[in-house]
Amino acid sequence: MRIFHLSHTDLDGYGAQFVSKFYLDNILFFNSNYGKEIDDKFEQILSLVQPKDLVLITDLNLTLQQCEAYEMKLKEKDVKIILLDHHQSGLECAKKYAWYFLDNSRCATSITHDFLAEIYGKDEKLHKFSKVVNAVDIWLNDESEFELGKVCLGLVSNAKEINKIMFDEKSREFIFYILEKSQEFFDKQNAHIALDNATHFIKKEFFKKEKDDTLSNLISTFIVDMLSQNRAKFEIGYEDKKGILTYNIGNTSVIGNDFLVANPDMDFFIDVTSRKTLSFRANGNANVSLMAKNLVGGGGHVNASGGLYNGFKDGYRYEVIKAQIVDLIAKKTQEKEMKDER
């Protein structure tokens, strides 16, 4: 039996997965914010499940329509579903569906911990972790763990160094690493201050491979390595040139240049963002100012240009994002060829 664990994208959502990772084997993780993304992630899960698998949903409340649809589709595949949540907005669903467990007195991490600890046995370290998350998630500001919980909340919300759309598993691994390391401070004096002071070094330890460097440089090297290892997935073409497409990669100038230096056979680097902007980078092998002009009416320098793609629709999966840029290139290339023939 495999377990497909879908959870929210905040401390409580990842915290619930951190707990299930401790207790369970053969588990695949998915994270979603609210809205259409939940349905998108469910469809991904549905395409992977097999009979006797289990879908576990935490820290996400569903609508009645979603409950009905999910139950029906999973029943057809002989797959069980359990939902553990604490949002009062799910009360109507909890009354109708036996698999929908709701308890608004505890956060999802605490519910998940107590549920699994009852089956597999209590772990004191993990119990403390669930109390820290609970204190901040349901805002128990008189609890001793509250300030520590606030620091952990910030650790997860600010863990944007690895883009989760492009590198979903690695992004989650990074967050789990931070949560694991945070536990080392729980019993220290002024634990919240000690953890806050150590945050920079915790992140550096994750990204550091051999020699030390600034956090920014370590992150750039790490991301460039990830892009290089998976370049076939990100590769796109433009006329007789080849490059890669990233999404919300951040620090485009540094990462784009570092990638092109590490991959001299690649001609250009494009980053598209949720704000519809396109950033183009080259290292002497392509004129990206012309590329930006032809594709989106943008421009700039030969090796660094930009533009706005008004038709871009943000998405939850890299494949959907890449398809839009590939279609744009195909359309504009065809238009240019027809114009040149006249």
Side-chain angles (χ1 to χ4, degrees), residues 6-125:
L6 172 63
S7 198
H8 197 203
T9 56
D10 62 359
L11 171 63
D12 195 25
Y14 282 108
Q17 291 182 326
F18 185 73
V19 169
S20 68
K21 180 176 179 288
F22 176 86
Y23 282 111
L24 303 171
D25 296 319
N26 204 13
I27 183 166
L28 289 82
F29 294 108
F30 299 81
N31 292 88
S32 171
N33 220 318
Y34 285 100
K36 294 181 179 179
E37 189 174 1
I38 298 178
D39 290 331
D40 185 89
K41 295 295 182 180
F42 178 78
E43 288 302 321
Q44 289 184 50
I45 292 172
L46 193 65
S47 69
L48 297 170
V49 292
Q50 297 176 353
K52 310 304 178 185
D53 284 342
L54 171 69
V55 174
L56 171 64
I57 300 176
T58 57
D59 200 34
L60 290 168
N61 64 272
L62 306 181
T63 64
L64 281 171
Q65 291 81 5
Q66 286 174 321
C67 287
E68 181 180 1
Y70 292 4
E71 183 182 67
M72 180 184 67
K73 291 178 180 180
L74 291 175
K75 189 174 182 180
E76 290 173 354
K77 289 179 171 282
D78 191 21
V79 173
K80 302 294 184 183
I81 181 172
I82 297 174
L83 185 144
L84 307 175
D85 190 37
H86 66 116
H87 297 101
Q88 192 64 23
S89 50
L91 182 60
E92 191 175 5
C93 296
K95 288 180 177 179
K96 185 172 182 179
Y97 295 94
W99 49 264
Y100 198 119
F101 179 82
L102 176 68
D103 180 357
N104 65 355
S105 69
R106 296 174 289 165
C107 71
T109 298
S110 185
I111 295 170
T112 305
H113 169 268
D114 295 348
F115 176 76
L116 293 175
E118 183 71 23
I119 300 170
Y120 299 104
K122 182 178 176 182
D123 178 84
E124 287 299 333
K125 189 177 177 182

Side-chain angles (χ1 to χ4, degrees), residues 294 332-342:
N294 293 337
K332 293 298 182 179
T333 299
Q334 185 179 33
E335 290 176 357
K336 184 174 179 295
E337 289 174 350
M338 292 175 63
K339 184 178 179 180
D340 291 343
E341 289 175 357
R342 294 195 187 107

Side-chain angles (χ1 to χ4, degrees), residues 94-244:
K95 288 180 177 179
K96 185 172 182 179
Y97 295 94
W99 49 264
Y100 198 119
F101 179 82
L102 176 68
D103 180 357
N104 65 355
S105 69
R106 296 174 289 165
C107 71
T109 298
S110 185
I111 295 170
T112 305
H113 169 268
D114 295 348
F115 176 76
L116 293 175
E118 183 71 23
I119 300 170
Y120 299 104
K122 182 178 176 182
D123 178 84
E124 287 299 333
K125 189 177 177 182
L126 205 61
H127 180 242
K128 175 71 173 179
F129 171 79
S130 70
K131 290 180 66 177
V132 168
V133 178
N134 190 67
V136 69
D137 194 72
I138 61 175
W139 214 254
L140 304 175
N141 55 359
D142 291 329
E143 294 288 326
S144 59
E145 296 88 1
F146 179 70
E147 289 297 331
L148 190 54
K150 281 169 59 180
V151 177
C152 290
L153 186 71
L155 286 177
V156 171
S157 64
N158 294 320
K160 302 184 188 327
E161 289 83 357
I162 304 176
N163 184 287
K164 75 182 188 75
I165 298 294
M166 295 187 66
F167 306 112
D168 181 54
E169 291 184 11
K170 190 60 69 171
S171 172
R172 191 178 301 105
E173 179 186 329
F174 176 48
I175 292 172
F176 285 172
Y177 176 87
I178 292 174
L179 295 179
E180 182 73 39
K181 287 294 182 180
S182 71
Q183 292 182 292
E184 298 175 6
F185 296 82
F186 285 3
D187 295 323
K188 291 183 180 293
Q189 187 176 10
N190 294 319
H192 59 296
I193 298 175
L195 177 56
D196 184 62
N197 289 340
T199 297
H200 180 78
F201 300 99
I202 290 173
K203 289 186 175 185
K204 285 187 72 172
E205 284 302 312
F206 180 86
F207 291 108
K208 187 167 62 178
K209 290 187 175 180
E210 296 177 359
K211 63 178 183 178
D212 197 8
D213 206 333
T214 64
L215 179 58
S216 178
N217 286 343
L218 291 173
I219 292 170
S220 178
T221 300
F222 185 93
I223 298 299
V224 168
D225 285 347
M226 290 286 293
L227 291 172
S228 299
Q229 292 168 23
N230 299 276
R231 52 181 270 177
K233 175 181 178 181
F234 306 125
E235 186 172 330
I236 58 173
Y238 178 82
E239 296 182 342
D240 62 337
K241 305 294 183 180
K242 64 178 180 179
I244 67 164

